[in-house]
Amino acid sequence: MKSYWIGLGFLILSSLAFHRVSEGDDAMPSPLRPSLAFQLPTVDGGEVVLAARSEPQLTVFCFLATECPLAKLYGSRLEGLQKRYASQHVRLIGIDSNRQDSEADIRSYIEKHGLTFPFVKDYDNRLADRFGAQRTAEVFVVDQTLTVRYHGRIDDQFQPGISRDAPTRLDLQSALDELLAGKRVSVPSTTATGCLIGRLRKPSTETTVTYCKDVATILEQHCVECHRAGEIGPFALTDYDEILGWGDTMIETINDGRMPPWNANPAHGTFANARVMPQADKQILREWVAAGMPYGDKSQLPKPSAEMAEAPVEPAYDLAMPMRDRPFVIPAAGVVDYQYFVIDPHFTEDRWVSAAEVIPGNRGVVHHALVFIRPPDGIRLRGVGWLTAYVPGQKGIQLPPGLARRVPAGSKFVFQMHYTPNGSEQNDLTRVGMTFVPAEVVTQEVFSIVAMNQEFEIPPETANFPVHAKVRQIPPRGELLGMAPHMHLRGQAFQVVARNGGESQILLDVPKYDFNWQHVYALSTPLSLSFVESLEITARFDNSRANPANPDPTQTVTWGDQTWEEMAIGFFEVAVPLADDGASAAKAKPVADRQADVSRDVEEQVEKFVTEFFQRHDRNSDGVILRAEPSQVFRSYGFRQVDQDNDGKITRSEVEAVARRRFAR
């Protein structure tokens, strides 16, 4: 009976004709032709009444969905607007036109986000069709004459794959304020950017493509690793009735190249962990959705793989350690800065790690995580101490037998956590799991080396700004296993080139870098470094207004840990035979002798650092660096740290002191 009354309300409403205007159009929208007063039943048993020249003065129709990431983020924000304008004769009405959302789903959404405004289920998409609504969260502001005065987004803070610290324009709020003040809406229409509404489709009988025979296999191979219960995908693609509402959104993200998430140019390099959907599979999905998403013969459904049939079973690790002693709280919305946590495994002897994995505590909000090894003072660790990483839907490098990473006795682990709020407050307690092997079975040590540039300045309003760097020392008998670019929100493109004499080879080309996907690109076949003289990176940045993720295009951007700053790093996973580099002998030495070796290495690094420091900053080569000589970046952020006596000049002894502190860690 409830469905009947909802349908009747929509039939009455269907006599109303809506007029839409283009973004920035100064013309006022034409009024709707008012009809008899009508009622819309709500999911909680109430009703909504709308009639011309009746209270309230303005009505905001909000098209929402229970699983759309943007609808989740805007739920509580709309409730705030409801409370803000309730006394000014403005009301909000939530509408769910997605076929995959039940009334129970909607009630759960209402409870989770604390909504008090009425909510309607649009069973046959009639209301969405009459408004011309396409996405969630999309809003329409209607006045007492049933005229649409504003249509579009709520604000500009969120877009697919982009999350600003705060909106730069409060579009809906501005429209309401202008209307309540008796003014024209300065921007009467904007473009909504949320998920496509899951409309009803009538399956075609002419296509041979069906869910059971063709589509279920494709989704399992390429999608459901993330899009299933408990994973970071915002909705599940494991149930046919659920999938029906996501067909258009699925095709849009595939056509745009957003899904499956993979950013490498296929013209350069072959990668073991590539997340690439073949064009033939894409075409099958397009044909299936266009044909109305027919189900087919259930007997043709593929048997689910053991991994996908149920929730993943955690491997049996030798050790699994949490990032700290209590969960971290992730807010419902906004941008969460990188979080760093340090734990002590209390290793009293060196450990060799043959497998390591980040185990997210809450996959719905952990977007990626990195874990590093921090050795004790006086013990040198080869490379930068990379242990492992997690990116949703992306498996890291799998080490073959004989390869392992060394974790020196007394080391600690450092977690770098990147969280993505999902519309409600969440908790996370991520762990790292490790499997150990005896030292005598290790034939190659695996570690990470970097190409890094910290001395750049990206000018304001500048697109395609290049920053170059190269690996300082390449292990001559090593093998390259994989690569990982790292930049922040202004990162635009990234390329790795190997050089030998006059020849060069592009090992990795990422023409469209995405900060949200911190991929490790694992080579299908390890590359011998015996004949590689140089590994070089070029990181390109877009600090212009054309970059929608840019926090502030008016600022000069320099190196920094936070997302509004920038980094230019290329991580390289390498494996080196132990017998060739003295590591086997080193691990057998007494600790005192090993520390003596480290001391000699530190002095060599200090000398090299000091020489390069003066070559870079001592413009007149007189052995003293005055404040006017270095770059603006170093004058602003580094000069005082080195100028220990604060006399306005840097001497060799001051640089040596800084270098010793740096390399003796």
Side-chain angles (χ1 to χ4, degrees):
M1 181 61 69
K2 183 179 291 185
S3 299
Y4 168 79
W5 282 110
I6 295 174
L8 178 61
F10 290 152
L11 285 173
I12 297 172
L13 184 64
S14 67
S15 64
L16 305 179
F18 288 80
H19 174 76
R20 296 172 63 185
V21 295
S22 60
E23 186 168 343
D25 193 346
D26 289 333
M28 294 297 292
S30 299
L32 303 171
R33 294 190 181 95
S35 181
L36 297 175
F38 62 87
Q39 301 175 175
L40 294 177
T42 62
V43 296
D44 62 357
E47 64 179 17
V48 174
V49 178
L50 180 67
R53 296 180 176 83
S54 65
E55 293 292 337
Q57 183 176 344
L58 297 171
T59 300
V60 183
F61 290 92
C62 312
F63 286 85
L64 298 169
T66 64
E67 294 180 303
C68 173
L70 265 68
K72 291 179 180 179
L73 290 167
Y74 279 117
S76 58
R77 190 166 303 182
L78 288 170
E79 177 63 22
L81 289 174
Q82 161 79 9
K83 295 176 179 177
R84 177 188 179 100
Y85 289 102
S87 63
Q88 301 181 60
H89 304 289
V90 176
R91 66 173 173 176
L92 275 70
I93 299 175
I95 304 168
D96 191 318
S97 302
N98 290 278
R99 63 170 301 167
Q100 69 271 29
D101 291 344
S102 67
E103 289 195 14
D105 294 332
I106 297 172
R107 285 191 288 270
S108 176
Y109 175 89
I110 291 171
E111 181 179 357
K112 180 178 291 185
H113 297 283
L115 306 185
T116 59
F117 53 82
F119 220 115
V120 172
K121 171 64 179 176
D122 181 13
Y123 278 97
D124 299 319
N125 309 135
R126 294 177 183 176
L127 191 53
D129 291 345
R130 289 300 164 186
F131 272 100
Q134 299 297 320
R135 297 181 181 273
T136 56
E138 186 172 0
V139 296
F140 294 79
V141 179
V142 178
D143 68 8
Q144 289 177 304
T145 67
L146 301 187
T147 300
V148 176
R149 295 297 181 181
Y150 171 75
H151 154 250
R153 66 195 180 198
I154 297 168
D155 58 47
D156 66 351
Q157 182 172 0
F158 304 109
Q159 297 180 35
I162 296 171
S163 178
R164 297 186 174 93
D165 288 341
T168 62
R169 191 176 196 280
L170 301 172
D171 301 280
L172 174 57
Q173 184 174 323
S174 297
L176 293 174
D177 289 343
E178 289 170 337
L179 289 169
L180 292 171
K183 301 177 182 178
R184 282 175 176 260
V185 177
S186 55
V187 182
S189 184
T190 59
T191 301
T193 58
C195 303
L196 288 167
I197 291 174
R199 282 178 157 82
L200 292 168
R201 288 176 174 270
K202 184 178 180 180
S204 169
T205 58
E206 298 179 1
T207 183
T208 61
V209 177
T210 68
Y211 172 76
C212 295
K213 179 170 66 72
D214 308 285
V215 173
T217 299
I218 294 174
L219 296 181
E220 180 169 320
Q221 289 175 345
H222 301 291
C223 307
V224 301
E225 187 173 356
C226 288
H227 287 275
R228 56 179 169 151
E231 290 289 348
I232 198 169
F235 49 85
L237 292 176
T238 53
D239 180 78
Y240 175 73
D241 291 331
E242 175 81 3
I243 295 167
L244 286 177
W246 293 106
D248 291 325
T249 295
M250 185 166 57
I251 297 304
E252 181 181 63
T253 58
I254 289 171
N255 289 342
D256 290 348
R258 301 202 306 269
M259 293 288 154
W262 185 255
N263 307 113
N265 180 354
H268 303 285
T270 304
F271 303 98
N273 58 346
R275 303 291 292 176
V276 178
M277 182 182 293
Q279 287 299 325
D281 288 355
K282 293 181 181 180
Q283 190 55 39
I284 288 174
L285 292 178
R286 295 185 187 110
E287 181 180 339
W288 180 64
V289 172
M293 308 169 75
Y295 182 72
D297 184 353
K298 186 176 182 179
S299 67
Q300 294 179 312
L301 272 175
K303 184 179 180 180
S305 65
E307 182 180 9
M308 301 304 174
E310 55 188 37
V313 177
E314 183 177 302
Y317 301 106
D318 294 328
L319 178 66
M321 297 194 64
M323 66 188 187
R324 65 174 190 172
D325 59 357
R326 63 193 184 282
F328 177 74
V329 179
I330 299 94
V335 176
V336 180
D337 293 338
Y338 276 19
Q339 300 296 310
Y340 293 88
F341 306 105
V342 181
I343 59 172
D344 188 350
H346 301 290
F347 291 163
T348 57
E349 60 182 9
D350 291 0
R351 295 289 188 94
W352 288 88
V353 179
S354 61
E357 182 180 11
V358 172
I359 311 161
N362 185 340
R363 294 174 188 266
V365 290
V366 178
H367 201 283
H368 70 263
L370 311 178
V371 180
F372 294 90
I373 304 165
R374 178 187 290 175
D377 293 343
I379 299 299
R380 182 183 175 188
L381 185 69
R382 302 195 65 176
V384 296
W386 175 287
L387 178 65
T388 187
Y390 164 81
V391 178
Q394 186 65 65
K395 295 181 179 179
I397 296 176
Q398 304 299 304
L399 299 181
L403 276 67
R405 301 177 191 273
R406 184 173 70 93
V407 181
S411 294
K412 296 179 181 179
F413 296 124
V414 180
F415 286 70
Q416 181 198 79
M417 303 296 302
H418 179 204
Y419 292 105
T420 302
N422 65 4
S424 60
E425 186 177 284
Q426 300 284 315
N427 293 329
D428 172 64
L429 189 59
T430 287
R431 297 175 294 154
V432 60
M434 291 164 284
T435 301
F436 306 119
V437 293
E440 55 268 21
V441 306
V442 180
T443 58
Q444 291 180 279
E445 181 181 358
V446 176
F447 55 91
S448 302
I449 57 179
V450 299
M452 179 172 60
N453 186 337
Q454 296 176 285
E455 300 295 328
F456 58 82
E457 291 182 59
I458 307 173
E461 311 286 358
T462 302
N464 198 29
F465 183 83
V467 174
H468 305 284
K470 64 180 181 179
V471 176
R472 290 188 177 184
Q473 186 175 2
I474 298 175
R477 297 290 302 275
E479 290 183 330
L480 180 63
L481 305 179
M483 299 159 280
H486 184 67
M487 300 181 283
H488 291 171
L489 295 174
R490 296 173 176 86
Q492 177 181 4
F494 193 94
Q495 193 172 83
V496 177
V497 175
R499 300 190 188 278
N500 183 33
E503 298 181 356
S504 63
Q505 177 185 357
I506 298 175
L507 301 182
L508 173 66
D509 180 43
V510 180
K512 190 176 180 181
Y513 176 83
D514 187 345
F515 170 72
N516 294 289
W517 297 102
Q518 302 288 328
H519 292 295
V520 176
Y521 297 91
L523 293 172
S524 296
T525 303
L527 174 68
S528 173
L529 296 174
S530 298
F531 301 101
V532 174
E533 294 179 354
S534 176
L535 283 174
E536 303 175 6
I537 68 168
T538 299
R540 296 186 177 274
F541 298 90
D542 185 356
N543 193 25
S544 72
R545 296 180 187 274
N547 176 6
N550 194 345
D552 188 352
T554 67
Q555 296 297 313
T556 297
V557 183
T558 58
W559 176 277
D561 286 341
Q562 298 304 329
T563 56
W564 61 84
E565 299 168 313
E566 272 303 339
M567 288 186 175
I569 309 177
F571 292 95
F572 298 89
E573 294 283 271
V574 299
V576 175
L578 291 182
D580 291 338
D581 66 355
S584 296
K587 67 183 181 183
K589 287 184 178 181
V591 172
D593 292 343
R594 289 164 62 182
Q595 291 176 332
D597 291 341
V598 168
S599 297
R600 285 191 292 271
D601 289 340
V602 167
E603 290 305 314
E604 291 175 2
Q605 292 183 74
V606 167
E607 180 60 31
K608 182 178 180 181
F609 179 88
V610 172
T611 300
E612 293 180 353
F613 188 92
F614 273 87
Q615 288 174 348
R616 186 164 60 249
H617 298 303
D618 188 8
R619 299 266 179 100
N620 59 9
S621 301
D622 65 350
V624 175
I625 302 172
L626 301 179
R627 182 177 290 276
E629 292 183 77
S631 67
Q632 177 62 44
V633 174
F634 186 76
R635 289 202 303 272
S636 300
Y637 300 102
F639 195 93
R640 263 188 285 180
Q641 297 179 25
V642 183
D643 182 16
Q644 298 178 0
D645 57 7
N646 200 28
D647 64 353
K649 60 184 179 182
I650 295 174
T651 63
R652 183 179 180 86
S653 62
E654 289 174 318
V655 179
E656 287 177 347
V658 171
R660 285 196 176 89
R661 287 199 302 270
R662 174 178 178 179
F663 293 113
R665 291 175 182 174

PDB file of all heavy atoms in Angstrom, residues 107-118:
ATOM      1  N   ARG A 107      16.595   4.004   5.680  1.00  0.00           N
ATOM      2  CA  ARG A 107      16.451   4.259   7.123  1.00  0.00           C
ATOM      3  C   ARG A 107      17.796   4.124   7.836  1.00  0.00           C
ATOM      4  O   ARG A 107      18.094   4.881   8.767  1.00  0.00           O
ATOM      5  CB  ARG A 107      15.409   3.305   7.717  1.00  0.00           C
ATOM      6  CG  ARG A 107      13.969   3.688   7.379  1.00  0.00           C
ATOM      7  CD  ARG A 107      12.974   2.889   8.203  1.00  0.00           C
ATOM      8  NE  ARG A 107      12.908   1.509   7.778  1.00  0.00           N
ATOM      9  CZ  ARG A 107      12.087   1.042   6.847  1.00  0.00           C
ATOM     10  NH1 ARG A 107      11.234   1.856   6.249  1.00  0.00           N
ATOM     11  NH2 ARG A 107      12.084  -0.239   6.523  1.00  0.00           N
ATOM     12  N   SER A 108      18.610   3.177   7.407  1.00  0.00           N
ATOM     13  CA  SER A 108      19.945   3.027   7.989  1.00  0.00           C
ATOM     14  C   SER A 108      20.805   4.253   7.681  1.00  0.00           C
ATOM     15  O   SER A 108      21.540   4.741   8.546  1.00  0.00           O
ATOM     16  CB  SER A 108      20.606   1.762   7.442  1.00  0.00           C
ATOM     17  OG  SER A 108      21.927   1.633   7.922  1.00  0.00           O
ATOM     18  N   TYR A 109      20.716   4.777   6.465  1.00  0.00           N
ATOM     19  CA  TYR A 109      21.449   5.993   6.071  1.00  0.00           C
ATOM     20  C   TYR A 109      21.003   7.182   6.917  1.00  0.00           C
ATOM     21  O   TYR A 109      21.826   7.975   7.394  1.00  0.00           O
ATOM     22  CB  TYR A 109      21.205   6.255   4.580  1.00  0.00           C
ATOM     23  CG  TYR A 109      21.799   7.532   4.032  1.00  0.00           C
ATOM     24  CD1 TYR A 109      23.097   7.560   3.519  1.00  0.00           C
ATOM     25  CD2 TYR A 109      21.060   8.706   4.000  1.00  0.00           C
ATOM     26  CE1 TYR A 109      23.634   8.729   2.994  1.00  0.00           C
ATOM     27  CE2 TYR A 109      21.586   9.882   3.483  1.00  0.00           C
ATOM     28  CZ  TYR A 109      22.870   9.887   2.978  1.00  0.00           C
ATOM     29  OH  TYR A 109      23.397  11.059   2.468  1.00  0.00           O
ATOM     30  N   ILE A 110      19.690   7.305   7.107  1.00  0.00           N
ATOM     31  CA  ILE A 110      19.155   8.405   7.910  1.00  0.00           C
ATOM     32  C   ILE A 110      19.695   8.339   9.339  1.00  0.00           C
ATOM     33  O   ILE A 110      20.116   9.353   9.911  1.00  0.00           O
ATOM     34  CB  ILE A 110      17.611   8.351   7.906  1.00  0.00           C
ATOM     35  CG1 ILE A 110      17.068   8.700   6.514  1.00  0.00           C
ATOM     36  CG2 ILE A 110      17.032   9.306   8.952  1.00  0.00           C
ATOM     37  CD1 ILE A 110      15.573   8.449   6.368  1.00  0.00           C
ATOM     38  N   GLU A 111      19.692   7.143   9.912  1.00  0.00           N
ATOM     39  CA  GLU A 111      20.162   6.981  11.289  1.00  0.00           C
ATOM     40  C   GLU A 111      21.656   7.261  11.404  1.00  0.00           C
ATOM     41  O   GLU A 111      22.102   7.934  12.340  1.00  0.00           O
ATOM     42  CB  GLU A 111      19.857   5.559  11.758  1.00  0.00           C
ATOM     43  CG  GLU A 111      20.279   5.289  13.201  1.00  0.00           C
ATOM     44  CD  GLU A 111      19.949   3.881  13.635  1.00  0.00           C
ATOM     45  OE1 GLU A 111      19.354   3.127  12.848  1.00  0.00           O
ATOM     46  OE2 GLU A 111      20.303   3.519  14.780  1.00  0.00           O
ATOM     47  N   LYS A 112      22.442   6.756  10.457  1.00  0.00           N
ATOM     48  CA  LYS A 112      23.890   6.919  10.512  1.00  0.00           C
ATOM     49  C   LYS A 112      24.295   8.384  10.447  1.00  0.00           C
ATOM     50  O   LYS A 112      25.237   8.817  11.115  1.00  0.00           O
ATOM     51  CB  LYS A 112      24.545   6.141   9.377  1.00  0.00           C
ATOM     52  CG  LYS A 112      26.075   6.248   9.351  1.00  0.00           C
ATOM     53  CD  LYS A 112      26.680   5.425   8.238  1.00  0.00           C
ATOM     54  CE  LYS A 112      26.513   3.952   8.508  1.00  0.00           C
ATOM     55  NZ  LYS A 112      27.215   3.121   7.490  1.00  0.00           N
ATOM     56  N   HIS A 113      23.591   9.175   9.645  1.00  0.00           N
ATOM     57  CA  HIS A 113      23.960  10.577   9.456  1.00  0.00           C
ATOM     58  C   HIS A 113      23.110  11.529  10.291  1.00  0.00           C
ATOM     59  O   HIS A 113      23.278  12.746  10.186  1.00  0.00           O
ATOM     60  CB  HIS A 113      23.865  10.947   7.976  1.00  0.00           C
ATOM     61  CG  HIS A 113      24.811  10.175   7.104  1.00  0.00           C
ATOM     62  ND1 HIS A 113      26.159  10.463   7.024  1.00  0.00           N
ATOM     63  CD2 HIS A 113      24.619   9.096   6.311  1.00  0.00           C
ATOM     64  CE1 HIS A 113      26.739   9.616   6.208  1.00  0.00           C
ATOM     65  NE2 HIS A 113      25.840   8.771   5.767  1.00  0.00           N
ATOM     66  N   GLY A 114      22.217  10.990  11.130  1.00  0.00           N
ATOM     67  CA  GLY A 114      21.435  11.829  12.029  1.00  0.00           C
ATOM     68  C   GLY A 114      20.513  12.792  11.315  1.00  0.00           C
ATOM     69  O   GLY A 114      20.369  13.952  11.734  1.00  0.00           O
ATOM     70  N   LEU A 115      19.845  12.342  10.252  1.00  0.00           N
ATOM     71  CA  LEU A 115      19.004  13.233   9.456  1.00  0.00           C
ATOM     72  C   LEU A 115      17.626  13.379  10.082  1.00  0.00           C
ATOM     73  O   LEU A 115      17.036  12.409  10.563  1.00  0.00           O
ATOM     74  CB  LEU A 115      18.867  12.697   8.030  1.00  0.00           C
ATOM     75  CG  LEU A 115      20.176  12.404   7.282  1.00  0.00           C
ATOM     76  CD1 LEU A 115      19.883  11.988   5.850  1.00  0.00           C
ATOM     77  CD2 LEU A 115      21.107  13.599   7.318  1.00  0.00           C
ATOM     78  N   THR A 116      17.110  14.609  10.052  1.00  0.00           N
ATOM     79  CA  THR A 116      15.768  14.874  10.579  1.00  0.00           C
ATOM     80  C   THR A 116      14.806  15.319   9.494  1.00  0.00           C
ATOM     81  O   THR A 116      13.607  15.410   9.744  1.00  0.00           O
ATOM     82  CB  THR A 116      15.832  15.952  11.676  1.00  0.00           C
ATOM     83  OG1 THR A 116      16.383  17.160  11.118  1.00  0.00           O
ATOM     84  CG2 THR A 116      16.694  15.496  12.844  1.00  0.00           C
ATOM     85  N   PHE A 117      15.293  15.621   8.294  1.00  0.00           N
ATOM     86  CA  PHE A 117      14.383  16.054   7.225  1.00  0.00           C
ATOM     87  C   PHE A 117      13.739  14.829   6.567  1.00  0.00           C
ATOM     88  O   PHE A 117      14.284  13.730   6.597  1.00  0.00           O
ATOM     89  CB  PHE A 117      15.095  16.932   6.189  1.00  0.00           C
ATOM     90  CG  PHE A 117      16.353  16.355   5.602  1.00  0.00           C
ATOM     91  CD1 PHE A 117      16.316  15.433   4.550  1.00  0.00           C
ATOM     92  CD2 PHE A 117      17.600  16.756   6.075  1.00  0.00           C
ATOM     93  CE1 PHE A 117      17.473  14.928   3.987  1.00  0.00           C
ATOM     94  CE2 PHE A 117      18.769  16.251   5.518  1.00  0.00           C
ATOM     95  CZ  PHE A 117      18.705  15.330   4.472  1.00  0.00           C
ATOM     96  N   PRO A 118      12.543  14.998   5.989  1.00  0.00           N
ATOM     97  CA  PRO A 118      11.816  13.860   5.408  1.00  0.00           C
ATOM     98  C   PRO A 118      12.565  13.250   4.221  1.00  0.00           C
ATOM     99  O   PRO A 118      13.294  13.936   3.505  1.00  0.00           O
ATOM    100  CB  PRO A 118      10.481  14.475   4.971  1.00  0.00           C
ATOM    101  CG  PRO A 118      10.733  15.932   4.860  1.00  0.00           C
ATOM    102  CD  PRO A 118      11.783  16.262   5.876  1.00  0.00           C
TER     103      PRO A 118
END
